[in-house]
Amino acid sequence: MSGGARLENANPLIFQRTGERLQTANDEDEDVADPIDDREIFDLIRSINDPEHPLSFEELNVVEQVRVRVDDQENTVGVEFTPTIPHCSMATLIGLSIKVKLLRSLPERFKIDVHITPGTHASEDTVNKQLADKERVAAALENSQLLEVVNQCLISNARTG
Amino acid sequence: MAADSALLLGLVEEFVLGQQDRKAVDTATGKLKAGQFTILQLVEALGLHLTSSQPQTRGRGVQLLSNVLQECYGDLTEREVKVLIVFYENRLKDHYVITPHVIQGLKALTKCSVLPPGSAVSILKSLFQDIHVQSLMLAERSCVYNILIQLMESRESELKGLGADFVFGFVQSVDGERDPRNLLLAFHIARKIVHEGYDLGKFTEELFEVTSCYFPIDFSPPANDPHGITQEELVLALRVVLTGTPRFAEFLLPLIIEKLDSDVQSAKLDSLQTLTACASVYEHKDLAQFLPGLWASLRREVFQTASERVESAGLAAVGTLTACLSRSVLNSDSEDSLNVFLELVLKDCQHHLCEPDLKLVWPSAKLLQATSTASYRASHRVAAAVLPSLIEQYNSRTQCAQRRTLLEVLQGFVHPVTSSEEDESVLLDFRQSLCSIVFSALSESNADLQITSMRLLTALGQQTGLLLESDVELAVDHLTRLILEEGDPKVSLAVVECAGALARLHPAAFISKMVPRLKEEIFSGGLRSKAVRQRCVAALAAVSSRPSLVQESTPVLLQVLTSAHTGTGAFSLEEVISVCHSLQKIAEQAQDTEETGGVFHDVIPRLLGLALQAALQGSSGHCSPILEETVLSAMVPIISTTCARLQSRLAGQTASLAVSLFLDGDVSFLPENAFPTQIQLLKVSQSQMVCLLMGCVCWLPRTVEVPQMDRLLLELEELSCTCDHPLSYTSAAKCYAGLVNKSPAGEVLDSLIDRTLKRISTELDSASSPVRTQAFTLLLWVSKALLLRYHPLSTALTDKLFSLLSDPELGWLAADGFSLLMSDSPDVLNRGSHADVRIMYRQRFFTENSAKLVEGFNAAVQEKKSGYLKALSHIVNNLPRQVQLTELPALLPLLLEALSCPDQGVQVSTLSCLQPVLLDPPSALITQLEVLVGRTLALTTSPTMKVRIASLRCIHALSRFPEHEIMPFRARVLRALAAPLDDHKRVVRSEAAVARNEW
């Protein structure tokens, strides 16, 4: 049990960003549209819980803001995540929970692409293929047991976030 | 007599044959108590039945006797008791159908105060010998336990004479008990046995086995449990037994170690808490043998924990274990078990501290900190082992994140040692290096590092002897530099906190170093940016907690105000306001002493003087910032906070000075006495200064009498009804209300209110009057003042307000007025200002008036209805939740109506009032779910952002309704929530995302 996990990596940017955003909302109220940006997507996924540790993806450095790509005009979202260790057996589950979270939280117009950061996992291609396959994702979510586990990851983030 | 015995025989006959039950017992008891016959006669009458060959008949006989005994055990003589006991003991050997009644009878007999000596022992002996408790029914088992408890209470010494046999008997009778009610009784007995020194003899292990087999307790009461036994109760009852005596140690500790392996959270938690409990009772020799096993389990729990509760329970256990070991007195031949334990802890934890990147740093640090808090000896040992390596690492590492972690760990070690009061601090040896680390971190450019080091600095400062005079000075220099140079808001916040904490302990250094430097900076002119000055001002406020510092800092701030007024310092409006806020903060945090009181007593005249000068100049052209309404409003809380805390002598003085200034234009007490002699402050041109008067007179303690009250009230009324300047008439109305609230009840007050009400009514009733708004404002404030103190006239005023709801001009204002009426206002009429505020005035107002409101709503024409809805939602919003819940069913139709009201203000207010209620939905809401969901979903596309957000929150709350209720709506809600997910405002989107994820 000797630290397979990274130390929590509190992101100093969080606080500032939140403040900034509130101000936009107050200042320009109804008229200005805020585009969906990297930060917003990151906010959605950073507090998902790791299936193994009582820590969030952000704390484990599984997701980073720089690895989130959004194009509001083109309706695409791309997220890269980094498993904590190259042989992490949970990689698929992690990817699935990110995907589910985004599916539930983003407008339907977006195409969501979740994959592993290149070169950080042993069976990168397999996992990526699984995650990109719409039908496999849908099938996985039919499995009530799996859905339960995914929900478990997502649930606690509602509390903290 | 003959008739009596015949009656008795008849009764007995009827009972035994089963024709009568309760009545026979009651009659017999009544007669016995009345002395018409004795228990002996009853037994004689029963004679035949008691010796009958039919067990059923014997049973009925004994039942009657037992039932009678239960009622009148107090009237028996010792001889009777003796005979009865012998009889009953004998009956125990009888047929099993009789046993329950026999036990009942015995229970009654044990309650006798005249129980002959020796009988307790004999009862128990026959009980243990003749019956097998666990084959009895629930009620009888409980009876047996009650007999035991009863005897333990009344005949303790006799039972102890029984020796270990008693324990053995108990163990036998409890073995296999399953009912929680009886278990509670059994644990109670066991606790008594353990705690009151009964001889356990060779049955220690048996007693332990028979109780510990329930550990850890896993009990979930049935849904409609009438007995109300909780798992918590059982757990605590058992824990007291198990941790009661060190003699259980050899059995309990292995059991705990075993149960810690359990996968069940509650079992782990219970084991850890039991361990904590027993460690405070046990001695080191009880623990010594199990230390490695315990440590291995504890370490695992803390290192790999999934829940914070388990972790903190584990840490607590480690702490008490250490404390227990530290209590031990060493013999020359035994090894020091504390050392052994610490050795273990250090061996497993120390090396993790050398890897500040990895996850295990924190659990290790916490474990070590838990041990070091436990005792002085332990802290010595741990500090000596850990600190040098931490310090060395800090100096050798270069990455900021690592160094920050190290600092935080260090801070954890600095904190706990505060518990050792007398011994010189363990950290003294490391003082030098700790200080140098802090100062080097302070001079780093990384914000996190700075913040953490300031926390460490604060922690060091809290302990005596760790910061030398020179260190403090150096620290103050660093802090000052950070104030002047660091723009990061988080750093500034930390600086201010740290400075505040240190200034309380070392005021001298701050006076000599920081204050002059900041002062210089504030007045250095436009070279520095505004932000720097702002930080200086905030820092000045933060450090001013000691009188000596207050004396230094307030003049600086006042000087800022003066120079802003004269226009020499080029201070902007915001700066002036922030200076006012700082002054207010100082007034709030300053310790309440004669000295500070004096300082602030001088501040008030200066502020008044400044404001007056500004006002006078204002009319002559030059515009001073002090004249601005915002600045004046910021000055009010300074004055009011000060006044509320003044001691009564000074308070009285201030009051009379202020009143004479405002009424008579007496300027003699103001500094820089250069005012024209005849000024009339309550007349139109300088009227806005009346808010300062309000801050002053309305916040004085109630014991202080305000001079010239009648005249003052008259002038205020006049001003509030005639002036057309909003701040002036509102302040005058507030001031008037504040004074009315505090003035003693009686005819004077009543007539005063009458007069005012008349005047208000006249103004309000003439539709063309130019001062209707003013009159309304006064009405509103006076209503509030009276409502708060439950004055009988308040109803008249609030009724007036209700009638205004349908007023075309003022209806809207009136509806908003209800929110003011029900909420606390910050500047007057609150508890801080010593106002007369009765508890629960809101509930009272609501219960008295909700009917009127509903009536008015129903009677009003369509266009006017929204006013009523608005008023209602304001009132309900401010009610405590408990009342909201009970009143909701009645109001729900109205509130739902309000949701479809086109006014957005009403929508927001209603939604925000519904949302907390939805979190814990009453059943009335569930029946209305359909409407509720429909209306709230419709609002998610409202053009106003606030409405959208509030409605999304409500929908979020709805997701916690019982699953089967919301299931039918799920698809609809999810579809509807797709739209706000694509909202153009980010805040709305995030609320929608949260809500949709929940659904």
Side-chain angles (χ1 to χ4, degrees):
Chain A
M1 181 54 213
S2 176
R6 284 275 160 71
L7 175 75
E8 60 178 90
N9 188 10
N11 183 352
L13 275 173
I14 304 164
F15 195 79
Q16 285 174 346
R17 278 304 288 233
T18 341
E20 205 177 300
R21 177 184 310 170
L22 277 180
Q23 216 176 6
T24 336
N26 287 339
D27 274 357
E28 292 149 302
D29 215 85
E30 305 293 331
D31 309 327
V32 177
D34 321 322
I36 294 181
D37 58 8
D38 300 358
R39 171 67 196 187
E40 185 171 346
I41 304 293
F42 181 62
D43 274 339
L44 287 172
I45 55 175
R46 69 193 168 92
S47 50
I48 302 176
N49 256 4
D50 188 87
E52 281 180 319
H53 304 281
L55 295 169
S56 74
F57 282 174
E58 186 185 25
E59 286 169 321
L60 290 173
N61 214 20
V62 172
V63 292
E64 289 164 277
Q65 196 182 336
V66 290
R67 302 203 185 281
V68 177
R69 297 264 173 275
V70 180
D71 196 327
D72 202 12
Q73 254 67 54
E74 300 286 317
N75 295 336
T76 54
V77 172
V79 176
E80 287 180 351
F81 67 97
T82 320
T84 45
I85 39 174
H87 295 282
C88 183
S89 57
M90 296 286 167
T92 330
L93 185 58
I94 293 175
L96 191 61
S97 43
I98 295 178
K99 188 138 191 171
V100 171
K101 173 86 187 186
L102 291 180
L103 279 173
R104 287 180 186 172
S105 318
L106 286 178
E108 281 165 28
R109 59 189 168 91
F110 278 99
K111 180 184 185 314
I112 297 160
D113 176 29
V114 177
H115 54 262
I116 296 180
T117 316
T120 56
H121 197 270
S123 44
E124 193 182 318
D125 292 338
T126 336
V127 177
N128 284 345
K129 210 175 250 173
Q130 280 181 352
L131 287 172
D133 189 337
K134 258 189 199 170
E135 276 168 24
R136 288 188 76 160
V137 171
L141 295 182
E142 298 278 304
N143 179 340
S144 64
Q145 237 173 347
L146 194 55
L147 191 63
E148 189 57 32
V149 180
V150 171
N151 278 338
Q152 213 61 50
C153 297
L154 299 185
I155 269 177
S156 30
N157 83 71
R159 194 190 57 217
T160 49
Chain B
M1 196 68 208
D4 274 347
S5 57
L7 174 79
L8 193 58
L9 275 173
L11 272 178
V12 168
E13 190 71 25
E14 278 176 16
F15 183 88
V16 173
L17 291 178
Q19 287 161 344
Q20 290 218 16
D21 241 15
R22 205 56 239 171
K23 190 164 155 254
V25 176
D26 288 345
T27 333
T29 323
K31 302 242 166 193
L32 197 71
K33 283 207 166 160
Q36 284 177 3
F37 54 82
T38 60
I39 193 89
L40 182 66
Q41 283 168 312
L42 178 66
V43 175
E44 274 170 3
L46 276 168
L48 218 55
H49 305 294
L50 291 180
T51 52
S52 158
S53 60
Q54 289 295 315
Q56 267 78 11
T57 316
R58 291 204 302 276
R60 285 299 275 184
V62 175
Q63 189 183 358
L64 177 62
L65 187 59
S66 299
N67 284 347
V68 172
L69 282 178
Q70 268 169 20
E71 301 294 330
C72 52
Y73 57 84
D75 302 332
L76 302 177
T77 64
E78 187 174 330
R79 254 193 65 226
E80 287 167 341
V81 175
K82 199 165 184 176
V83 174
L84 284 169
I85 287 180
V86 172
F87 167 71
Y88 272 112
E89 281 175 4
N90 231 313
R91 286 304 91 191
L92 279 175
K93 300 187 174 72
D94 205 341
H95 195 272
Y96 67 91
V97 284
I98 306 175
T99 319
H101 310 305
V102 177
I103 295 176
Q104 292 285 356
L106 275 175
K107 183 181 152 199
L109 286 173
T110 52
K111 289 188 195 151
C112 284
S113 49
V114 290
L115 201 65
S119 52
V121 173
S122 75
I123 290 177
L124 286 179
K125 274 195 171 147
S126 27
L127 262 183
F128 291 149
Q129 203 167 21
D130 295 326
I131 51 174
H132 180 235
V133 178
Q134 287 309 317
S135 58
L136 298 175
M137 299 295 284
L138 174 74
E140 281 76 53
R141 297 202 303 269
S142 138
C143 233
V144 172
Y145 299 135
N146 274 318
I147 292 177
L148 290 180
I149 293 177
Q150 188 62 36
L151 290 176
M152 287 174 92
E153 256 154 37
S154 55
R155 293 284 182 276
E156 191 183 326
S157 54
E158 283 183 40
L159 296 196
K160 282 187 179 160
L162 257 177
D165 287 347
F166 176 64
V167 177
F168 182 63
F170 169 70
V171 168
Q172 273 198 322
S173 45
V174 172
D175 198 359
E177 179 63 62
R178 298 173 60 96
D179 188 86
R181 284 162 285 176
N182 283 344
L183 274 179
L184 273 184
L185 293 176
F187 291 156
H188 181 72
I189 300 173
R191 185 186 66 113
K192 275 175 148 334
I193 293 179
V194 169
H195 283 259
E196 290 173 10
Y198 285 83
D199 180 16
L200 297 184
K202 51 186 186 298
F203 299 114
T204 315
E205 185 166 1
E206 277 78 4
L207 181 61
F208 177 77
E209 284 299 328
V210 86
T211 45
S212 69
C213 62
Y214 302 102
F215 180 83
I217 283 175
D218 178 23
F219 169 64
S220 43
N224 49 353
D225 183 24
H227 311 292
I229 294 178
T230 59
Q231 159 140 356
E232 194 62 26
E233 257 178 290
L234 285 166
V235 166
L236 291 179
L238 178 58
R239 188 174 301 155
V240 177
V241 176
L242 294 182
T243 59
T245 166
R247 298 186 57 184
F248 283 163
E250 53 177 318
F251 315 113
L252 178 61
L253 294 173
L255 182 69
I256 288 180
I257 294 176
E258 182 193 320
K259 295 297 175 192
L260 276 175
D261 288 339
S262 156
D263 286 333
V264 188
Q265 283 285 318
S266 66
K268 275 187 187 181
L269 209 56
D270 191 9
S271 309
L272 287 170
Q273 283 163 351
T274 307
L275 178 60
T276 312
C278 70
S280 52
V281 182
Y282 290 179
E283 284 178 33
H284 69 104
K285 57 179 186 299
D286 305 317
L287 291 169
Q289 158 190 12
F290 302 102
L291 283 178
L294 281 174
W295 166 243
S297 304
L298 285 171
R299 184 193 55 193
R300 193 193 55 222
E301 288 318 311
V302 177
F303 275 8
Q304 302 179 10
T305 182
S307 100
E308 271 171 38
R309 288 180 65 203
V310 171
E311 188 190 76
S312 59
L315 292 175
V318 171
T320 38
L321 272 182
T322 321
C324 168
L325 296 173
S326 315
R327 274 200 307 275
S328 60
V329 181
L330 287 185
N331 303 336
S332 51
D333 53 343
S334 73
E335 57 179 344
D336 182 358
S337 43
L338 174 66
N339 246 341
V340 177
F341 185 63
L342 290 180
E343 238 10 278
L344 286 171
V345 178
L346 286 171
K347 192 178 109 240
D348 285 331
C349 291
Q350 207 172 0
H351 65 95
H352 287 304
L353 292 184
C354 304
E355 300 159 334
D357 274 338
L358 302 184
K359 184 186 155 200
L360 288 182
V361 176
W362 282 113
S364 310
K366 281 180 191 162
L367 279 170
L368 288 170
Q369 282 154 11
T371 51
S372 74
T373 8
S375 75
Y376 182 67
R377 264 173 66 205
S379 66
H380 231 303
R381 180 82 177 73
V382 173
V386 171
L387 287 184
S389 92
L390 281 175
I391 291 169
E392 194 241 286
Q393 269 193 76
Y394 178 85
N395 291 329
S396 61
R397 302 261 172 182
T398 49
Q399 279 182 32
C400 285
Q402 295 176 340
R403 300 177 88 174
R404 195 188 68 149
T405 312
L406 289 167
L407 272 184
E408 277 173 12
V409 174
L410 272 175
Q411 188 206 339
F413 281 104
V414 174
H415 255 306
V417 205
T418 33
S419 53
S420 54
E421 310 94 5
E422 286 145 37
D423 312 300
E424 63 177 16
S425 177
V426 188
L427 300 169
L428 220 50
D429 297 339
F430 308 102
R431 197 192 61 76
Q432 193 70 47
S433 35
L434 280 175
C435 286
S436 68
I437 283 187
V438 168
F439 293 133
S440 85
L442 278 176
S443 31
E444 294 282 338
S445 59
N446 181 293
D448 285 326
L449 216 49
Q450 289 171 342
I451 293 170
T452 321
S453 62
M454 277 185 272
R455 286 206 200 106
L456 181 55
L457 179 61
T458 316
L460 287 173
Q462 308 292 346
Q463 300 195 29
T464 43
L466 284 190
L467 286 186
L468 299 183
E469 205 54 40
S470 57
D471 295 325
V472 175
E473 280 177 15
L474 195 55
V476 173
D477 282 341
H478 273 290
L479 291 175
T480 317
R481 180 183 56 78
L482 286 175
I483 292 172
L484 298 180
E485 288 167 10
E486 275 303 327
D488 186 337
K490 278 194 294 176
V491 177
S492 327
L493 196 69
V495 175
V496 165
E497 263 171 33
C498 176
L502 287 181
R504 207 160 292 140
L505 304 163
H506 310 278
F510 282 85
I511 293 176
S512 62
K513 294 229 153 198
M514 189 182 263
V515 176
R517 184 80 185 84
L518 293 181
K519 183 179 175 184
E520 182 190 319
E521 201 59 42
I522 291 174
F523 292 108
S524 67
L527 295 173
R528 295 277 191 165
S529 72
K530 251 197 284 188
V532 177
R533 286 205 295 231
Q534 198 99 7
R535 288 203 297 272
C536 292
V537 170
L540 266 186
V543 297
S544 306
S545 49
R546 287 304 193 84
S548 51
L549 267 164
V550 173
Q551 254 162 357
E552 296 296 323
S553 62
T554 41
V556 178
L557 294 175
L558 283 175
Q559 202 181 335
V560 175
L561 289 183
T562 319
S563 71
H565 166 60
T566 53
T568 49
F571 292 98
S572 71
L573 196 60
E574 296 121 65
E575 280 179 277
V576 176
I577 293 174
S578 86
V579 167
C580 287
H581 286 319
S582 302
L583 274 172
Q584 182 199 350
K585 200 168 156 224
I586 297 177
E588 273 165 11
Q589 74 190 8
Q591 288 154 350
D592 207 5
T593 58
E594 194 76 31
E595 235 174 311
T596 38
V599 173
F600 272 96
H601 183 60
D602 298 335
V603 170
I604 296 177
R606 290 198 57 179
L607 288 176
L608 286 175
L610 272 175
L612 186 54
Q613 275 179 354
L616 289 175
Q617 282 176 6
S619 45
S620 67
H622 167 77
C623 204
S624 148
I626 307 282
L627 207 56
E628 295 289 333
E629 279 182 22
T630 42
V631 177
L632 272 181
S633 317
M635 274 177 159
V636 176
I638 310 176
I639 297 186
S640 54
T641 323
T642 319
C643 282
R645 301 181 61 166
L646 279 182
Q647 269 115 356
S648 53
R649 185 180 58 82
L650 288 176
Q653 247 177 33
T654 315
S656 62
L657 288 177
V659 170
S660 67
L661 169 68
F662 278 87
L663 285 182
D664 308 324
D666 177 7
V667 291
S668 54
F669 75 99
L670 299 178
E672 301 166 42
N673 200 341
F675 302 99
T677 41
Q678 277 308 309
I679 42 173
Q680 289 185 307
L681 283 176
L682 293 179
K683 294 294 174 263
V684 182
S685 65
Q686 286 95 31
S687 59
Q688 55 173 333
M689 272 184 72
V690 74
C691 66
L692 299 182
L693 175 67
M694 172 192 79
C696 185
V697 292
C698 291
W699 282 68
L700 291 170
R702 239 183 288 172
T703 45
V704 177
E705 204 171 324
V706 179
Q708 305 191 63
M709 184 72 142
D710 298 332
R711 215 182 121 206
L712 186 61
L713 284 174
L714 210 59
E715 297 260 353
L716 284 171
E717 187 191 319
E718 184 61 30
L719 179 64
S720 72
C721 283
T722 53
C723 182
D724 57 354
H725 185 243
L727 179 64
S728 306
Y729 69 72
T730 315
S731 306
K734 283 184 192 172
C735 187
Y736 185 84
L739 291 173
V740 164
N741 179 268
K742 284 187 198 172
S743 47
E747 268 175 41
V748 189
L749 182 64
D750 290 353
S751 64
L752 178 82
I753 296 169
D754 267 340
R755 197 191 65 211
T756 316
L757 187 57
K758 276 208 191 77
R759 179 161 186 185
I760 294 174
S761 306
T762 341
E763 298 289 356
L764 285 176
D765 290 343
S766 74
S768 60
S769 166
V771 289
R772 288 191 79 203
T773 323
Q774 282 86 327
F776 166 74
T777 313
L778 184 59
L779 171 68
L780 187 60
W781 282 102
V782 178
S783 317
K784 186 166 165 85
L786 296 182
L787 181 67
L788 289 181
R789 60 182 280 184
Y790 285 4
H791 194 277
L793 281 175
S794 67
T795 343
L797 283 110
T798 46
D799 282 351
K800 187 87 195 151
L801 279 177
F802 277 115
S803 69
L804 281 177
L805 277 177
S806 50
D807 186 287
E809 232 180 282
L810 295 175
W812 216 235
L813 274 179
D816 280 332
F818 280 98
S819 106
L820 192 146
L821 214 52
M822 299 302 281
S823 56
D824 285 323
S825 71
D827 48 2
V828 74
L829 287 178
N830 49 34
R831 283 178 208 277
S833 67
H834 307 285
D836 187 358
V837 181
R838 303 293 181 85
I839 49 167
M840 312 228 280
Y841 74 93
R842 293 187 182 93
Q843 285 92 314
R844 204 176 122 125
F845 178 74
F846 177 75
T847 37
E848 281 172 5
N849 294 302
S850 63
K852 285 182 206 164
L853 203 57
V854 176
E855 229 168 77
F857 171 78
N858 291 331
V861 284
Q862 197 55 45
E863 307 86 78
K864 300 281 161 53
K865 281 187 192 265
S866 59
Y868 285 93
L869 288 176
K870 194 170 190 183
L872 178 73
S873 64
H874 280 316
I875 296 176
V876 176
N877 231 342
N878 282 302
L879 283 178
R881 238 179 77 70
Q882 226 41 49
V883 187
Q884 277 184 354
L885 282 182
T886 51
E887 298 297 334
L888 202 77
L891 296 174
L892 200 60
L894 269 188
L895 288 176
L896 289 176
E897 188 73 23
L899 283 184
S900 51
C901 159
D903 179 70
Q904 280 148 4
V906 177
Q907 288 171 355
V908 171
S909 143
T910 314
L911 286 170
S912 60
C913 138
L914 272 175
Q915 198 244 347
V917 182
L918 291 179
L919 290 179
D920 186 11
S923 53
L925 262 176
I926 291 178
T927 53
Q928 303 274 6
L929 202 58
E930 173 84 49
V931 192
L932 197 59
V933 172
R935 299 241 162 109
T936 35
L937 281 182
L939 289 179
T940 55
T941 48
S942 151
T944 319
M945 192 172 69
K946 277 196 187 133
V947 178
R948 292 203 298 268
I949 294 175
S951 60
L952 285 170
R953 288 206 178 125
C954 279
I955 291 172
H956 181 197
L958 280 174
S959 71
R960 308 214 182 126
F961 273 48
E963 183 99 14
H964 60 279
E965 298 287 351
I966 53 169
M967 202 58 182
F969 300 102
R970 177 167 288 160
R972 183 175 155 202
V973 172
L974 288 180
R975 228 175 312 120
L977 284 181
L981 279 183
D982 208 3
D983 199 277
H984 68 276
K985 298 306 291 178
R986 186 174 293 130
V987 201
V988 180
R989 287 200 297 262
S990 66
E991 290 291 343
V994 171
R996 195 160 191 249
N997 274 301
E998 282 302 310
W999 277 83

